[in-house]
Each structure stands twice: as C-alpha cells, then as structure tokens.
C-alpha cells in the first residue's frame, strides 16, 4: 500500500493554552458531507423563478442553459465574462440550482494561491470537510498541477461512480435537491485574479487546457472572469473556451432591479424617475448606485408621513422639488449624502470658529476630520514645500509675509508664454516635488510663527486662563514634530521619496490635493493663497 | 424520468461526438498517406524490429496531433497487447525534472504493479527508470514515451530529454519517444547533445482541405438510423442537414468562418455553438443556428467594453484621445482633468463632475483594461500623477461610441474635430 502523506498541520501551542484543558467536547458535529452536498442544497427552483430573479439577464440565462445542454451532455469549456456586479456568479449558481446538477465551486479570490485552490476543489470532490476532528486540514496535500491532475482524476471517478449508482436507483422528476445526472461541473470564479499570482500564466494555461489534459468527458468546466478573453492571450497558446458575455445593465434593467423587493413600488418608481437618468450618466454599476439610492430615498421620503401611499402627480412634483437640492452634490460625491441643511437641532453644537451657512456648497469646504493644530501647520508646510521651488523660499517667507505681485506688470511675449505652457505641462506630469526634512521644518517654523499671532488672538476669546503666557502655545506647536511627520506619513499625506545618496537625508513628497490644503488652511484662517507660487 | 425527447437525445449524441476526438479524426485519417498511417508505420516498425526511435509531431494548436496519436496508440495496444506500454508526460505539468522523473516512475509502477513510494529521491527515480528500460528491452517490450507540449521540456537544462535519449542509445532498451508541439521550430530549441541523439523525424499537421471538412461535417451531423430514435425523425433530421449544407448562404457562412479560423478544433467549436442553439421543440437544426454561432465567435471585446461605459467615462476617453491628437506624448490624470474642464468651459456641457467622481470613473476604465498606466515603475507617485495610455485605438473608440446607447452628440463632434 503506498504510504499516504498526511497533511496534518502541526500546531504550536503557547504555554497558557497548553495548560488549559478543553472542557466540553465538540458540540454536535454536523453530518459528514455526502454526494448530495455537491448540489446547491436548497430546494430547486423553476426556470421562471430564475428569470424573474434576474431582470435584464434573460438572453444570457437562456444561452447558458443551452450551452450546458440537456442532462449528461458533454460540453466544451465555457468562459463567462463581464464587468463587475453584472450577476455572473449568481446567475451560474442559480441556473445550476434550477437544473439540479452536481457542481464544485471555487473562487480564486478566496483561494489566493494554487495550493489552496487545488486543495479546495479536491476537498469538495472527496466530500471532506475541515473540522476540528481532523485539525482543519485538507484531505490531500497538493500544490503542483501534476499532483492535482492525478488526484482530480481519482476523485472524479469516485464521484461519478457514486452518481451513476445513485441515478440508477431513483429517477424521479421531483425537485428534491438530489443531484441529477452523471456529470460534475467545475466552476472557477474570478479567474482574472490568477494573472497577478506567482507563475500566474502557467496556471492559467493549465486551467484552460485542463479538459484536454484530463480527457474525462464527465467533467464540465465553467470559468468566470471579470476581464474579456483577449486579456489572457500570451505567448503560450491554448484553445479558447466558448465565451459568453454579460453586458452592463441598461437603464430599463436598472429600474427593474431597483424596483424589486420594495415595500412601496409606486413611490420608489417615482423616486427613480427623478434620479435614475442623471446618476446613470455617471456610473451604471449596481453596487455604487444602490448605496447612493438607499440614502437618497430616505431623504426623499422625509416629508411623507405615511410611507405606504402612492403619490399622485402633484405630490411627485413636490417631493422632487424637495429632493432636488440634494441631487447635485450627491452626484459629485461618492458614498455620501449631505445631511447638514436638514439637521436643525445640531446647529447649536457647531463651534463658533467654523463659519456656517445653509448653502450646501459651504459644507464641502469644512474639514471633516480632526487634526491637531501643529499637524495642520505641518501639512500646509509640506504642501507649500512641494509646490514652490526651493529658490523662492527666501523671498516668500521673509518678514513682509507673502509674495507681492509687483513683478506681474511685465507683458509676456509669445515665446515666454509658450515656455510657460510647456513648463506647466511638465510640472503637471512630474507631480509634486520632493523636499528634505530640513526645508519642511524651516517653512513650518515660519508659518507657525505667523499663525501664532492669530492663534493667540482667538485664544483670548475663550474662558481658560493661561498662566504661563504665550510661550506655551509656541512650545506646544514645536513639540513632537518628528512624531507628527511620521503620523502624516502613515496617513499618506506625506510619502518618503528616494533619498539622495550625496546628501544622505530622506526626502519627502506631499500627496495632499489643493482642495484639502485649502480646507486645512481655512480651518486655521491661514492665508494660503499668498504663499503659493503661481507660474 | 420518462424517455427523453428525441431532440435531447440527438443533441446529446452530436455533442458527445464533438467532444470525442477519436470519433472526429478517424475518418480524417482514413486515407493511406495521412499522418495517421505514417505515424503508425513508424511506431509499428520500431516495435516489430525492436529498435529505438524518436519522432516529433508539429502543427498549430487544435489540428489534432494528440488525437491522432491516441488513435495510433489505441490501435497498437490492440495489435500488440503485451509488448507495448505507454508513458504520458505533459510539458505544462512536468517541465520540472524532479516532477517528470517522479511521474515516469509512478506510471511505470502502475503499469507493472510495483509499489511506488512518493518519498523516492531524484537519483533513485532515475536509476529505477534506467533499470526498467533495460528490463523491458531484454523482455522485448517497447515503452512509448508521449511528451505533450514538447517545447516546455526544451526549456532549462533539458535533463529529462537528455537522459531519455541517452538511455535509449546506451542501454539495451526498446523505446519510442514521441514529442508533440505547436511550435514549428521545436527541434531548434534542443541543445547540441540532445539534438545529436534525436532522429530528426517530423510529421507536420497541416489544416485540412475544404473537402475533408465538408465530409467531416456530414459525418458529424447525420444521425444513425437505429431504433433508439423515432423513425421519421431521423430521416427528417438528415434531410434538413442536407438542405442546409447545399444552401448557398451556408457556404458563405463557412467561407467567412474559414477566413479567420483554419484548424479543426475551431471548426468543432463553431459546430458546437450552432448545435447548442438547436430548437428543442422541433428537434431540427436550421440556418439561423449557424448564423448565430458565427456571430458569437466573432466577438469584439473592446467594443463591448466601450459600450458598457457610462457617459462620464466616455468623456474621459474622449479627453485622452484629444490629448493624444494634440501630440502630447504622455499625459496623466491631472492633464486629462484640465482638458475636461476646458471642454466644459467652451461647450457648457451638463456633465461636469467633481474630481473624486472622475477618479472613480478612471478606476473603472482601468479595471476593464481600456486604459492602463504607461510604465510600471514610479510607484512612489499616486495614481493621479502617473502617466497613462489608452489601450483602444481611435477607430474602436469611434465605433463603440456610435453604437453606444446614450452617447451625447457633442462627444462624437469632439472626437472628430
């Protein structure tokens, strides 16, 4: 008997866990998996249920069913491809549930390297479930494609033998969840992620030629990919699988999808009339639209007392005019609906420093996360250091505070305009410049001293007494600067760029957009525009 | 389950035939100067005369090399039941020498009912193989080594090839090494010492002629007149097939198909798609099935990607195209946003969105591989400053936008200008 290589995971135990003894035995281990577990498991559904579950996917569902063929029909490999959230995986699984055929499903997103992928497929075929009694290990250890082919062949022949004997016994039409037929389908999801794996192209070519390597007609292979098949073409050739395309949903389909499972379809359809067309111009993906619509719909329903009524034309117009001011900022924002104009009660909680207005646009200029004052100054200093060339520092940060515009009076000739344009383009392509740490600290000291005076003024408005005088503010701003720098690096506001081998100091680069810098400066009442160099 | 409807049965039968290579290639190999007979002659003479041999089967992918080889091997196993054993290796799986030797040892053990230990080392395996070769040679048993994807074995140090071919020359062995490759220059990849031990026999698999393919089509699609089908059905089905194949439009479809595809496997895929579309109620094929199958094989993925874009993403694509036209050799997200703003200022479009929404649109385009970063280095920059490039051509963009469901007319104007 050939020696079986066991794949037990040796567990290292800490001293504390080794001393503690396990008290209760494992409560009621579920039954070991049988051949019936290869099907979807729940009750089978009719074709009409599948078609109504997936509006807009009618032709794809029919194509897929036709490609699968009637019972026990051998098939060439199929590749299903389409954009994200177009329903590929769910359609495949639901159709297999309807057809009641045994299948093995594995996703290359959860099985992130070949070994886990192969072992997951083999576990399902060998009807092995990982539990504590076998130490959460797989049935067989397999990380090479050659071992996988041999083990797969064995496991498949066992499964097919069981299926054949089972199908001989009972062949009733009743959809009772028992697997039908003698074929097993292998479904591999997210195949496009394999391209990023180590040796990904070899694995991909192996998967595409799996059916010709195995030469078992009882296995049907379905590959689901987010990218079209032309992405996989490489130096090593293979015969293409049969493609099946899932296009993105049209507006009509999106309307039907969003109308499903709504408590009040008429109200929701009035809502969709208002918003769907404009949002479809930005994105047609279901997952992005659904997050926006759920929050917008709540806003839409706010003036209504009774959510069960069906609106007439007049009410629809009034609801639309209520919703209208929220739509435009929502289009320009992802995942969020502004809520300030509605929150009348929180008005009192606003700090007096922040200017508040009922316009939605103002709300976008307020910084929505908290940073300490020294960190804000450091951020602005980094932004200035990246944007301004180093040679202008002396004139920029002298005692007069800020650049004066005396030099603008000279008329620009055409050649210098062209040069300016080219220089601007290059600047845009290169991105923000890098600066050494010393320059950052120098700029920080300059602007912190500028801001100190204004900071001191505002502090006088507050009630607290400051016995030690203004020195304390100064010290507070200068302490822990290096800590602040490293926390800004962690938050990705600064990144470390390459260090110059001659100088030996580390250079940093600011990754802050101009909008954010303006917001931060505004929250400190810092005149940022005076210090920015505009070409 | 009562009896199946005849349409399903015929569908099963035809699809089963399509997935079975030996059914397909047997009639193609019937003539006496086909590759099948050549190969069979070479291998059978080396079996009967007890000598060593090596052959390469070359041809484009899908032309039936492995299928013909399987036919030959099957026939030989019937003809000489006890004096042939077959070892199959595949370059995709066994290109690593350790793997390959282990696999050969495993298959030899299985054949001869010996115990195989997975723990055997490389040296032990190679000694075992050489010993087996000698034993089989003394017992007048021929071992046929089938090396699929031969060019993958020719990468690296070619240890496996050298040891096999060397063993054939030095040891009293009877072995035939058959290599299958889709690279037509596979023998040029061999090292000098391997090439000198290799007999340069090559069998080339060319695409079949039109007559052969017509004959194959008929052979595939005609139902046998046996009792498992209702009697009228078989004759109706075969008559319909004859009608279709003699139709001029069908010949046009086939001609369009053969303009792009020449191998047998792609032809089989085409027939498979057509047959799967068979109307299950009438149980007969029709010309529309073949037309639909042809259009499903002529996919245009970039067009589909452009048609799936939203209006904002189309704007971004048009901006990038305009920057290219202006001969800006490299551009990044910020420059595209500037162009976008310029368009909005000059034409007052209603589709002007904020920067983070545009970044999201960019990410969608990048996921779908319509655009990509121009260089892979420069990881220290954020995505906004890295140079990008378009992965679709101007004509594809044009075509995609024209067939888009709701493309604004101004975009087409901007693209043309």
């Amino acid at each position: 008997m050939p020696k079986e290589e066991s794949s037990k995971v040796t567990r290292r135990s800490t001293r504390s866990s080794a001393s503690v003894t396990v008290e209760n035995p494992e409560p009621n281990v579920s039954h070991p998996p049988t051949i019936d577990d290869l099907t979807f498991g729940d009750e089978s559904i009719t074709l009409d249920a599948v078609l109504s579950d997936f509006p807009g996917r009618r032709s794809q569902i029919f194509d897929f069913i036709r490609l699968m063929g009637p019972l026990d029909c051998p098939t060439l490999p199929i590749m299903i491809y389409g954009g994200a959230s177009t329903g590929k995986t769910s359609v495949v699984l639901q159709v297999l549930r309807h057809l009641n055929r045994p299948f093995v499903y594995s996703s290359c997103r959860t099985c992130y390297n070949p070994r886990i992928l192969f072992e997951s497929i083999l576990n399902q075929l060998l009807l092995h479930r990982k539990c504590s009694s076998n130490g959460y290990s797989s049935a067989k250890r397999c990380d090479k494609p050659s071992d996988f082919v041999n083990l797969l062949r064995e496991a498949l022949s066992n499964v097919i033998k069981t299926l054949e004997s089972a199908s001989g016994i009972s062949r009733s039409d009743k959809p009772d969840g028992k697997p039908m037929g003698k074929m097993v389908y292998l479904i591999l999801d997210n195949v496009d992620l394999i391209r990023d794996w180590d040796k990904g192209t070899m694995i991909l070519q192996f998967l595409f030629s799996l059916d010709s390597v195995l030469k078992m007609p009882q296995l049907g292979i379905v590959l689901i990919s987010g990218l079209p098949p032309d992405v996989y073409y490489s130096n090593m050739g293979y015969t293409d699988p049969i493609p099946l395309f899932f296009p993105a949903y049209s507006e009509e389909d999106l309307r039907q999808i969003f109308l499903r499972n709504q408590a009040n379809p008429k109200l929701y359809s009035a809502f969709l009339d208002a918003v769907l067309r404009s949002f479809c111009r930005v994105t047609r993906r279901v997952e992005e639209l659904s997050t926006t619509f759920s929050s917008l719909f709540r806003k839409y329903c706010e003036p209504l007392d009774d959510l069960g009524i069906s609106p007439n034309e007049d009410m629809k117009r009034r609801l639309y005019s209520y919703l209208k001011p929220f739509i435009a900022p929502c289009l320009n924002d992802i995942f969020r609906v502004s809520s300030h104009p509605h929150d009348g009660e929180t008005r009192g909680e606003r700090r007096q420093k922040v200017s508040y207005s009922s316009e939605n646009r103002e709300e976008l200029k307020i910084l929505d996360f908290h940073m300490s004052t020294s960190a804000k100054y450091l951020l602005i200093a980094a932004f200035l250091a990246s944007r301004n060339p180093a040679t202008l520092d002396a004139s920029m940060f002298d005692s007069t505070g800020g650049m004066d515009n005396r030099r603008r009076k000279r008329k620009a000739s055409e050649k210098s305009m062209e040069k300016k344009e080219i220089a601007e383009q290059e600047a845009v392509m290169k991105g923000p410049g890098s600066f050494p740490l010393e320059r950052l600290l120098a700029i920080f000291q300059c602007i912190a001293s500028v801001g100190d005076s204004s900071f001191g003024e505002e502090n006088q408005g507050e009630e607290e007494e400051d016995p030690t005088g203004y020195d304390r503010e100064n010290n507070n701003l200068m302490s822990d600067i290096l800590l602040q720098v490293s926390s800004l690096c962690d938050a990705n506001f600064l990144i470390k760029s390459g260090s110059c081998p001659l100088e030996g100091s580390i250079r940093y680069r600011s990754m802050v957009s101009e909008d954010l810098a303006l917001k931060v400066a505004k929250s400190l009442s810092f005149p940022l525009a005076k210090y920015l160099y505009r070409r | 389950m009562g009896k199946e409807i005849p349409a399903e049965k015929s569908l099963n039968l035809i699809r089963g035939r399509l997935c079975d290579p030996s059914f397909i290639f047997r009639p193609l190999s019937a003539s006496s100067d086909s590759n099948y007979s050549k190969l069979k002659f070479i291998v059978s003479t080396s079996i009967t005369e007890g000598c060593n041999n090596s052959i390469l089967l070359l041809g484009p992918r899908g032309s039936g090399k492995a299928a013909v080889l399987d036919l030959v091997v099957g026939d030989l196993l019937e003809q000489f039941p006890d004096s042939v054993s077959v070892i199959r290796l595949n370059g995709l799986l066994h290109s690593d020498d350790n793997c390959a030797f282990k696999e050969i040892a495993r298959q030899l053990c299985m054949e001869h009912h010996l115990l195989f230990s997975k723990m055997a080392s490389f040296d032990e395996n190679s000694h075992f193989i050489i010993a087996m070769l000698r034993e089989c040679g003394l017992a007048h048993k021929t071992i046929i080594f089938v090396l699929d994807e031969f060019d993958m074995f020719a990468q690296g140090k070619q240890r496996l090839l050298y040891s096999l071919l060397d063993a054939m020359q030095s040891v009293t062995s009877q072995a035939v090494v058959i290599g299958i490759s889709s690279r037509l220059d596979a023998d040029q990849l061999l090292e000098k010492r391997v090439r000198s031990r290799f007999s340069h026999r090559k069998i080339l698999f060319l695409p079949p002629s039109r007559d052969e393919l017509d004959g194959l089509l008929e052979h595939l699609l005609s139902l046998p007149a046996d009792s498992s089908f209702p009697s009228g059905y078989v004759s109706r089905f075969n008559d319909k097939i004859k009608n279709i194949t003699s139709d001029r439009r069908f010949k046009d479809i086939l001609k369009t198909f053969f303009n792009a595809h020449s191998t047998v496997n792609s032809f089989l895929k085409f027939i498979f798609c057509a047959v799967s579309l068979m109307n299950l109620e009438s149980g007969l094929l029709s010309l529309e099935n073949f037309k639909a199958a042809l259009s499903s094989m002529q996919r245009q993925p970039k067009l589909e990607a452009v048609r799936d874009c939203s209006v904002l993403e189309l704007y971004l694509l048009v901006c990038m195209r305009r920057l290219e036209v202006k001969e800006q050799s490299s551009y990044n997200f910020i420059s595209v946003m500037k162009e976008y703003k310029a368009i909005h200022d000059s034409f007052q479009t209603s589709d002007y969105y904020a920067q983070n929404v545009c970044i999201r649109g960019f990410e969608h385009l990048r996921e779908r591989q319509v655009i990509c970063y121009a260089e892979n280095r420069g990881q220290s920059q954020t995505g906004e400053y890295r140079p990008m490039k378009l992965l679709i051509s101007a004509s594809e963009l044009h075509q995609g936008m024209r067939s888009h469901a709701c493309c604004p007319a101004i975009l087409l104007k901007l693209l043309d200008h």
Side-chain angles (χ1 to χ4, degrees), chain B residues 377-395:
Chain B
R377 58 167 195 87
Q379 291 287 340
S380 61
Q381 299 272 30
T382 46
E384 301 166 334
Y385 287 100
R386 285 173 70 177
M388 326 190 77
K389 64 177 183 190
L390 272 176
L391 287 178
I392 60 176
S393 64
S395 54

Side-chain angles (χ1 to χ4, degrees), chain A residues 5 66-68 71 73 81 171 227 237 248 281-282 284-285 288 332 334 425 428 430-431 495 511, chain B residues 1 12 15 61 119 277 304 308-312 328 332 351 354 360 364 367 380-382 385:
Chain A
E5 209 178 56
R66 263 186 242 129
L67 280 176
M68 300 287 274
L71 206 58
C73 197
Y81 69 99
R171 303 196 78 192
L227 294 174
R281 290 176 83 89
V282 177
R284 271 152 68 184
R285 286 218 200 162
E288 292 168 1
N332 275 329
I334 12 184
Q425 249 178 43
V428 163
K430 254 186 8 179
I495 56 171
M511 284 291 136
Chain B
M1 190 85 140
N12 274 4
R15 278 169 66 141
R61 210 167 270 279
M119 292 293 149
L277 294 171
E304 289 164 349
D308 268 357
C309 286
S310 65
V311 173
L312 170 63
Q328 251 186 321
N332 59 13
D351 289 304
R360 186 175 65 174
H364 288 176
E367 274 168 32
S380 61
Q381 299 272 30
T382 46
Y385 287 100

Side-chain angles (χ1 to χ4, degrees), chain A residues 14 34 39 72 85 172 184 200 224 313 343 373 386 419 436 487 502:
Chain A
T14 63
T34 64
T39 52
D72 296 340
S85 81
S172 61
V184 179
I224 306 181
E313 282 306 317
D343 286 340
T373 319
S386 268
K419 267 203 242 170
S487 48
L502 285 178

Side-chain angles (χ1 to χ4, degrees), chain B residues 58-69:
Chain B
L58 302 175
R61 210 167 270 279
S63 30
K65 311 181 281 291
V68 166
L69 180 62

Side-chain angles (χ1 to χ4, degrees), chain B residues 13-20 23-24 219-224:
Chain B
L13 180 67
I14 298 180
R15 278 169 66 141
R17 286 175 179 174
L18 285 168
C19 298
D20 177 20
F23 182 86
I24 306 219
H219 178 65
L220 275 175
L221 292 179
S222 35
L223 292 180

